[in-house]
Amino acid sequence: MDLASQALIIDYDFGESNKQVVNAYKLYCGPFKPDQVTGRCPKSWTLEASNNTADWTVLDSRQNQEAWSSSYNNSECRLMEFENDTAYRYYRFKATAAQSGTVLEIV
C-alpha cells in the first residue's frame, strides 16, 4: 500500500447485534525476506470505532512510533492498550505513515 496519496484503512464489522468493547489490540510486523526492510512497518495510525459508519470516535492514536525490530524469520508484536468502555459495532485501523518511505505492508 502506498501511503503517499491516502491512508491504509482496515475495517471490521462485528455484526448487527454483536457490539464489542475493545480496549486493546496487537500489531505484528514482519518477518521480512532478506531483501525487504522494516521501513514497511507502521509508524503512525489511529484506531476508530462507530455504530453507524458515519460518526467515528478515535479510541487510540499513535504517532511517530519507534522502529520495529523485525527481521528475516522473526516478527515483532506490540500490544496497544487504551481506555474504552463503550461497545461498538464497527472498528477501523487507519495507518497514515510507514517507518520510512510511503510503502506499508500489512499481512
Side-chain angles (χ1 to χ4, degrees):
M1 174 72 190
D2 189 341
L3 296 174
S5 59
Q6 63 186 5
L8 168 78
I9 298 174
I10 301 171
D11 293 318
Y12 190 81
D13 179 356
F14 277 105
E16 188 172 335
S17 55
N18 195 28
K19 295 178 183 177
Q20 300 290 317
V21 174
V22 172
N23 51 29
Y25 59 98
K26 289 182 180 180
L27 289 179
Y28 291 86
C29 188
F32 293 99
K33 296 177 184 175
D35 62 334
Q36 294 176 326
V37 295
T38 58
R40 294 182 177 188
C41 298
K43 181 177 183 177
S44 299
W45 63 85
T46 59
L47 180 69
E48 303 173 343
S50 176
N51 280 316
N52 60 17
T53 69
D55 303 304
W56 291 91
T57 300
V58 174
L59 299 178
D60 188 48
S61 181
R62 309 288 171 130
Q63 304 299 316
N64 299 315
Q65 295 293 292
E66 62 186 62
W68 296 70
S69 62
S70 302
S71 62
Y72 184 65
N73 287 332
N74 181 39
S75 61
E76 180 182 349
C77 174
R78 294 185 183 178
L79 174 64
M80 308 298 168
E81 297 178 295
F82 55 93
E83 296 293 324
N84 175 44
D85 58 2
T86 303
Y88 293 98
R89 174 179 174 175
Y90 304 99
Y91 288 85
R92 72 180 176 193
F93 175 84
K94 187 188 298 186
T96 55
Q99 285 294 324
S100 63
T102 60
V103 177
L104 179 66
E105 188 170 314
I106 300 283
V107 184

